[in-house]
Amino acid sequence: MALVLTGVVVLDCSEPEKLAAFYKDLLEAEETDAAANVVEIRSPDGLRMAFRRDAKATPPSWPRPENSLQAHLDFLVEDLDEAERAVIALGGRALETKDASGPFEERGYADPAGHSFTLRCVRSTAPKMG
């Protein structure tokens, strides 16, 4: 039997309900637990995230060096433009959206509490069949 059964990514923030709603909508997840100071969600592919209340939480400053990275998340998407529109509509903001052309295109964003994440589009380099 494994020593660790599963893992949960936990982000500290001042408003866990608000941040959980952002990621719940972005990931099409379901809320699995909510208490006074923490909200947990699980995405259809099994990713578990929790959002813990910390009244003194300070948003990361990335890409500026001071207090820059507290955590970084990468999400794979099929369509970067569509995913970007969803992030902005849900209250996220663009940090770095320069097109990195090629099969590994990615763009940087911040959630409503300031945590950075990347949307990555990994396109197949194999020729289409049929």
Side-chain angles (χ1 to χ4, degrees):
M1 181 162 123
L3 179 65
V4 175
L5 300 178
T6 190
V8 179
V9 175
V10 181
L11 298 177
D12 291 344
C13 57
S14 59
E15 299 178 271
E17 300 83 5
K18 181 178 176 181
L19 196 55
F22 172 82
Y23 281 103
K24 183 178 168 186
D25 289 344
L26 181 66
L27 301 172
E28 297 181 3
E30 64 181 44
E31 188 173 300
T32 59
D33 193 19
N37 291 315
V38 68
V39 178
E40 187 174 316
I41 64 171
R42 183 177 50 239
S43 71
D45 71 350
L47 172 64
R48 295 175 60 188
M49 294 183 73
F51 310 93
R52 186 178 68 95
R53 188 177 318 280
D54 178 354
K56 296 181 182 181
T58 55
S61 61
W62 189 90
R64 296 184 322 270
E66 66 279 357
N67 194 34
S68 64
L69 287 177
Q70 297 172 355
H72 180 82
L73 305 169
D74 280 356
F75 297 110
L76 299 178
V77 299
E78 291 183 7
D79 183 323
L80 273 172
D81 293 331
E82 180 181 353
E84 179 175 296
R85 285 189 294 274
V87 166
I88 302 304
L90 293 168
R93 63 184 168 86
L95 294 176
E96 186 175 72
T97 58
K98 293 178 280 188
D99 282 336
S101 60
F104 305 106
E105 189 176 358
E106 63 182 41
R107 299 176 189 167
Y109 301 89
D111 66 26
H115 302 100
S116 63
F117 64 93
T118 299
L119 297 180
R120 261 192 314 135
C121 184
V122 181
R123 293 185 176 86
S124 173
T125 55
K128 291 186 177 180
M129 303 300 284

